[in-house]
């Protein structure tokens, strides 16, 4: 919370009004000197206090102060998306006939589903919490100061926060909604009181983070409801229609928790020689990501168009970020041939020489899982 203890050292002193630099404004009045301020510059932090706007210098001062305090407690910042990351919601009218059992027969639902499914009549929605989410939040809270950041409306954001954190332990006032963003349809760390060098972001959509993509850990989307699958053009049945769910122990949140723990451990490693205040979690994130495909040497065949520079192609760049190296020929050092067609010469050579022949989705899966998935799960068809 932003309170009197956060004010500059001279706050409250008897100073001429023209000396005050107006570090913040609330309701049109300077929070330091009480003078009426017409200037609309700075950044709005209405989610902390209604009508609160802080000057850029004050934001920088608070971030510096908060970072030093957080690092003393061996913590970093974690910004969490809601929809498809921590939970999945649907409008009640969009519930399909195959999943109508969710609202009509709650007494026959299994305990695990009953405790994580919420029918919210006042906003005409139903929400399903992602398996492992409560354990995830408890474990992550010991390592991070956590924010919620959603493109949803504030009433929805607060309702979801109360489902995830009914005791108000994890987030407090740190719930950022669509109206708090400074750019339309974009999220930004400008409204987070945390240094960018110490912030990690969990989100299922990378593009909304603009210039902060290096802070993002991309999440595999959680599609529990049918409407969620339709929203993203998926033809498969939803988890609710299959009367199934993610595996708690092996699901996305359990996997990403291990990644967060690894990053946190490396960031605070006492063996590192640099000053802790100068460390950058984005560099640690890159290091951990490069461990995923270390030792893999890849040949692409029938994947990258001839007119495209290979190193500029999505799959090449993704595999490179994961630590893979590349070859243009299937020589002895190559471990994987990535192809969409098992009839190309290099695909046939891979089979003859006992190399792994995998579909490009193998790379995408590794990116989401933060580990190499079994190659046999990604066969290449004719």
């Amino acid at each position: 919370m932003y309170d009197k203890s956060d004010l500059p050292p001279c706050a409250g002193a008897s100073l001429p009004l023209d000396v005050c630099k107006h570090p913040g404004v609330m309701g049109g009045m300077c929070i330091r000197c009480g003078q009426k301020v017409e200037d609309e510059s700075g950044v709005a932090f209405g989610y902390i206090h209604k009508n609160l706007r802080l000057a850029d210098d004050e934001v920088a001062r608070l971030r510096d102060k908060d970072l030093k305090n957080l690092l003393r407690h061996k913590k970093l910042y974690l910004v969490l998306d809601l929809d498809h990351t921590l939970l999945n919601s649907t409008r009640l009218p969009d519930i399909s006939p195959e999943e109508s059992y969710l609202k009509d027969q709650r007494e026959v639902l299994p305990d695990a589903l009953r405790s994580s499914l919420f029918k919210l009549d006042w906003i005409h929605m139903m929400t399903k919490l992602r398996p492992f989410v409560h354990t995830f939040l408890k474990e992550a809270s010991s390592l991070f100061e956590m924010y919620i950041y959603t493109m949803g409306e504030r009433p929805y954001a607060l309702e979801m926060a109360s489902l995830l954190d009914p005791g108000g332990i994890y987030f407090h006032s740190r719930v950022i909604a669509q109206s708090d963003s400074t750019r339309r349809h974009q999220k930004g760390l400008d409204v987070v009181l945390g240094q960018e060098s110490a912030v990690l972001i969990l989100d299922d959509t990378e593009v909304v983070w603009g210039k902060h993509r290096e802070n993002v850990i991309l999440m595999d989307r959680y599609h529990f409801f049918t409407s969620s699958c339709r929203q993203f053009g998926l033809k498969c049945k939803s988890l609710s229609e299959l009367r199934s769910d993610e595996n708690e122990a092996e699901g996305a949140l359990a996997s990403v928790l291990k990644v967060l723990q690894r990053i946190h451990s490396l960031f605070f490693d006492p063996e590192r020689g640099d000053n802790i205040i100068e460390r950058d979690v984005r560099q640690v994130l890159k290091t951990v990501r490069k461990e995923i495909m270390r030792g893999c040497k890849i040949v692409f065949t029938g994947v990258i168009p001839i007119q495209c520079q290979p190193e500029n192609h999505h799959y090449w760049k993704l595999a490179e970020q994961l630590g893979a190296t590349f070859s243009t020929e299937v020589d002895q050092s190559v471990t994987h041939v990535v192809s969409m067609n098992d009839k190309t010469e290099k695909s046939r050579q891979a089979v003859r020489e006992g190399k792994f022949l995998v579909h490009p989705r193998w790379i995408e899966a590794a990116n989401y899982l933060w580990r190499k998935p079994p190659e046999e799960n990604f066969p290449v068809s004719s």
Side-chain angles (χ1 to χ4, degrees):
M1 293 285 285
Y2 187 88
D3 55 32
K4 292 181 180 179
S5 67
D6 290 317
L7 293 174
C10 55
S14 181
L15 293 172
L17 293 181
D18 60 350
V19 173
C20 183
K21 295 182 179 179
H22 307 315
V25 176
M26 193 182 303
M29 308 287 285
C30 174
I31 59 176
R32 178 179 168 196
C33 69
Q35 182 182 357
K36 187 174 181 180
V37 179
E38 302 291 344
D39 187 6
E40 289 291 315
S41 63
V43 180
F45 287 87
Y47 68 91
I48 296 177
H49 281 303
K50 188 177 180 181
N51 300 321
L52 174 65
R53 183 177 291 272
L54 298 176
D56 292 341
D57 287 349
E58 179 67 355
V59 172
R61 186 188 74 83
L62 288 170
R63 284 178 175 155
D64 184 61
K65 174 187 172 183
D66 199 49
L67 177 64
K68 290 174 181 175
N69 179 57
L70 217 59
L71 294 179
R72 278 197 298 271
H73 291 88
K74 287 196 172 183
K75 282 192 170 187
L76 296 168
Y77 303 96
L78 181 63
V79 177
L80 298 165
D81 173 53
L82 286 178
D83 295 286
H84 306 109
T85 297
L86 299 182
L87 49 83
N88 192 204
S89 293
T90 186
R91 296 190 319 125
L92 291 177
D94 292 336
I95 292 177
S96 71
E98 287 184 82
E99 57 187 356
S100 62
Y101 70 96
L102 296 173
K103 59 181 180 180
D104 296 332
Q105 304 173 39
R106 284 182 60 84
E107 69 279 0
V108 301
L109 297 176
D111 290 343
L113 184 54
R114 191 182 303 124
S115 63
S116 61
L117 185 69
F118 300 89
K119 186 166 176 278
L120 308 167
D121 290 309
W122 73 278
I123 53 174
H124 311 291
M125 299 195 80
M126 183 174 286
T127 294
K128 171 68 175 62
L129 302 186
R130 198 167 200 166
F132 196 74
V133 68
H134 288 302
T135 302
F136 171 84
L137 293 174
K138 180 179 178 180
E139 295 292 327
S141 68
S142 66
L143 308 176
F144 299 91
E145 181 172 277
M146 299 190 296
Y147 285 76
I148 284 174
Y149 199 145
T150 176
M151 295 307 286
E153 303 287 345
R154 172 153 295 278
Y156 173 76
L158 293 175
E159 185 67 24
M160 297 303 104
S162 69
L163 297 181
L164 293 164
D165 182 21
I169 301 168
Y170 306 129
F171 302 112
H172 303 289
S173 66
R174 297 185 297 273
V175 179
I176 303 173
Q178 183 184 80
S179 58
D180 300 304
S181 294
T182 56
R183 292 182 61 201
R184 187 173 173 81
H185 304 310
Q186 286 283 301
K187 297 179 179 180
L189 294 180
D190 53 344
V191 292
V192 174
L193 285 178
Q195 293 281 19
E196 292 179 22
S197 60
V199 177
L200 291 173
I201 300 164
L202 293 191
D203 205 313
D204 68 288
T205 307
E206 190 178 48
V207 68
V208 296
W209 283 101
K211 62 182 180 179
H212 299 120
R213 293 190 191 191
E214 289 188 344
N215 299 78
V216 175
I217 296 176
L218 195 60
M219 293 291 293
D220 195 10
R221 287 194 176 106
Y222 182 48
H223 297 293
F224 183 77
F225 296 107
T226 303
S227 63
S228 180
C229 293
R230 289 175 182 160
Q231 178 186 347
F232 289 92
L234 302 178
K235 304 298 184 182
C236 59
K237 283 185 174 289
S238 67
L239 290 168
S240 61
E241 289 177 313
L242 295 171
R243 304 201 177 202
S244 181
D245 209 347
E246 281 188 355
N247 183 297
E248 257 204 46
E250 299 175 6
L253 289 177
S255 296
V256 82
L257 177 61
K258 294 174 184 174
V259 176
L260 293 173
Q261 291 167 334
R262 169 84 172 135
I263 294 171
H264 182 277
S265 176
L266 287 176
F267 185 94
F268 288 102
D269 185 352
E271 299 298 317
R272 291 185 60 174
D274 54 337
N275 186 341
I276 193 169
I277 203 75
E278 297 173 354
R279 295 176 188 176
D280 194 324
V281 75
R282 291 168 291 195
Q283 297 305 314
V284 180
L285 178 56
K286 286 180 182 177
T287 299
V288 173
R289 184 175 270 130
K290 278 190 173 291
E291 294 174 354
I292 298 171
M293 284 192 176
R294 182 184 294 161
C296 295
K297 192 167 186 180
I298 291 174
V299 168
F300 287 104
T301 175
V303 175
I304 302 176
I306 296 174
Q307 67 273 20
C308 177
Q309 283 288 103
E311 60 270 19
N312 293 332
H313 193 271
H314 166 69
Y315 283 124
W316 182 294
K317 291 196 289 187
L318 186 55
E320 189 173 45
Q321 290 170 5
L322 301 177
T325 57
F326 306 92
S327 176
T328 56
E329 301 299 329
V330 185
D331 58 29
Q332 189 175 358
S333 64
V334 168
T335 60
H336 293 76
V337 173
V338 178
S339 177
M340 292 183 178
N341 185 343
D342 64 1
K343 296 294 189 270
T344 71
E345 176 53 37
K346 289 174 182 175
S347 294
R348 290 196 293 263
Q349 188 179 352
V351 174
R352 286 197 307 269
E353 298 182 12
K355 312 290 187 183
F356 288 115
L357 179 62
V358 293
H359 192 277
R361 283 193 296 267
W362 177 75
I363 299 173
E364 294 179 347
N367 185 48
Y368 283 121
L369 296 172
W370 287 79
R371 63 179 184 275
K372 285 182 292 185
E375 284 84 356
E376 59 269 22
N377 291 349
F378 298 85
V380 178
S381 59
S382 301

